[in-house]
Amino acid sequence: MFIELQTVEKDLGRLLYNYLIETGMAEGLASYINLFVLVVVVLVLVFLLDVLLWKILRALSIKLARKSKNNFDNFLVAHRVPRFLAHVVPLLILLEFVPVAFSNFDYAGGIVLKMIKILFVFLTLVIFRKFFKSVNGYLKTLPKFKDKPIDSYVQVFMIFAWVVGILTIFAIVTDTTVWKFFTALGAASAVVLLIFKDSILGLVASIQVTINDMVRIGDWITFEKYGADGDVVEISLATVKVQNFDMTITTIPTYALISDSFKNWRGMQVSGGRRIKRSLIISQKSIRFLTPEEVEKLKKIQLVEAYIANRDEQIKSYNASNQINKELLVNGRNLTNFGVFRKYVTDYVEQHSAINTGMTLMVRQLQPTPQGIPLEIYAFSSDKRWENYEYVMADIFDHLLAALPYFSLEVFELPVSLEPTQKG
């Protein structure tokens, strides 16, 4: 049956040729005219068929888009997947037509047939690429996949598709099988690994980043080695794009995320607060014991009034029971201006409306330095937004710097005589 069908097709392809021979035309000229007419007729028919299929697929796409509940088909249309699918049937028809039209031109027919097959391979790759781009765009609209590195997986699929496509083209050109090329590829694996080193490293890194949930799109990361400090906007097979807070873009190799150290601020963003960790450097010369008169004066500060009264009573009772000579303040137990100020800072931060008191909160004295004694505030701002966080921190330290003189304390400042001279 198949042989009979081929015979019928061949006879149809030679109808014009036979007619021209009967009219007395030379065989060579009759063959060229027959070929030209057949090619023109089939190309016109294939073009009309391509347009017709495109109109049918477009109408079906619109109809499905109106009925479907998701917008995946919208992405297919936006990336012109139906338009490229409409080219498949015309190309298949051309593949069947070439042996018929070029029956008298075997060599030329073989070349044209190879060209159409190669074109079909490229068309298949384009359809795959458009389809994966549509899938990528659709998945990014879903909350579950919005922060996942879908681009990396699309690139991996396309790399494999292009490798298979290129091997298929080589097989078509050389009239051999694809499996022979895969066998030869095994022998040249070292060269392939060298050429695709970055892609392979990126693939492994993308898988590890996803499995370990190290980075998501939208995370704020700091990568000092590459000068990155901002939000992740794209994760692809080879690179990670970070939009810094100065609106510049830093590109980081994907494999650097697993080979180097970087800071991901996601933990802070999903927690109950953003950490405040800043110190006041208090001049050691301003720290001293408080006299009874100064104690009474500090009792007027409402925030520490109860604390000073309670501590002053305990200290007086202890000193009296132990017959401490208070002619010198250093004897016995005493209040210091630094200790009272530390208590004042603690109470002030605890009562601040922008501080999350459910998280760690402490005011601690750090090891003395040549510049003075650091008094560090360790707390968490309830508002994690950068501008609001900076405002909260500045508001706290504005108040504390203004409160220092009430406790007869001073912050360290470089003496004027030691300041660097300015050259005009």
Side-chain angles (χ1 to χ4, degrees), residues 191-261:
V191 177
V192 173
L193 290 175
L194 182 62
I195 295 174
F196 295 101
K197 182 190 71 172
D198 291 338
S199 298
I200 294 171
L201 289 174
L203 170 61
V204 175
S206 296
I207 294 173
Q208 289 186 326
V209 165
T210 303
I211 292 176
N212 297 322
D213 199 19
M214 297 170 63
V215 175
R216 301 175 187 169
I217 295 175
D219 282 356
W220 168 19
I221 68 170
T222 301
F223 210 141
E224 295 181 0
K225 180 178 178 180
Y226 293 92
D229 186 17
D231 298 326
V232 176
V233 295
E234 181 182 316
I235 302 176
S236 64
L237 184 64
T239 60
V240 174
K241 289 184 180 179
V242 177
Q243 184 174 45
N244 301 309
F245 295 123
D246 60 359
M247 305 311 294
T248 59
I249 300 291
T250 298
T251 302
I252 303 170
T254 306
Y255 57 80
L257 296 177
I258 59 175
S259 61
D260 296 315
S261 176

